[in-house]
């Protein structure tokens, strides 16, 4: 038995089963647009995990871009206007 496995059993950490992993990977596949339309038996779990990571990175980038746009819009408006208040509320 590997030392990692023995440590996890000693510390009382429950292991996730292969069926649970398969179920979670299947759920991820349903959420990720790039692999959603593909049949599950044709997409490897590693491909699904890679696409998930890529998708999360793209969402982070999109959030950053939108935040930058809102910040620029706020800088271009009168700080006491109703529009500025709305933009500030979106940034918080």
């Amino acid at each position: 038995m590997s030392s990692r496995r023995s440590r996890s059993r000693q510390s009382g950490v429950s292991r996730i089963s292969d069926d649970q992993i398969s179920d979670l990977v299947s759920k991820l596949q349903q959420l990720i647009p790039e692999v959603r339309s593909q049949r599950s038996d044709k997409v490897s779990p590693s491909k699904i995990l890679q696409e998930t990571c890529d998708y999360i990175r793209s969402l982070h980038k999109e959030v950053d871009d939108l935040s930058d746009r809102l910040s620029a819009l706020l800088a271009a408006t009168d700080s006491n206007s109703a529009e500025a208040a709305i933009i500030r509320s979106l940034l918080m």
Side-chain angles (χ1 to χ4, degrees):
M1 183 182 302
S2 75
S3 63
R4 191 165 96 187
R5 281 189 184 173
S6 63
R7 277 195 308 262
S8 70
R9 288 188 181 172
Q10 291 169 358
S11 66
V13 175
S14 62
R15 284 184 36 96
I16 188 165
S17 71
D18 289 345
D19 288 339
Q20 289 171 312
I21 291 172
S22 294
D23 184 50
L24 291 170
V25 168
S26 177
K27 287 178 182 178
L28 278 175
Q29 184 176 8
Q30 301 295 320
L31 295 172
I32 307 304
E34 287 78 11
V35 292
R36 183 182 309 152
S37 61
Q38 299 175 14
R39 288 187 25 208
S40 60
D41 59 341
K42 293 203 177 216
V43 182
S44 70
S46 63
K47 174 73 172 166
I48 293 170
L49 292 173
Q50 183 61 51
E51 290 293 336
T52 300
C53 291
D54 292 344
Y55 185 60
I56 291 170
R57 280 187 206 99
S58 75
L59 290 174
H60 278 288
K61 184 180 181 323
E62 188 173 344
V63 166
D64 288 343
D65 292 345
L66 289 171
S67 180
D68 291 344
R69 288 174 55 195
L70 279 172
S71 294
L73 187 58
L74 182 59
T77 42
D78 176 20
S79 62
N80 295 322
S81 69
E83 292 86 3
I86 293 169
I87 294 169
R88 275 194 299 278
S89 73
L90 292 171
L91 291 172
M92 309 242 169

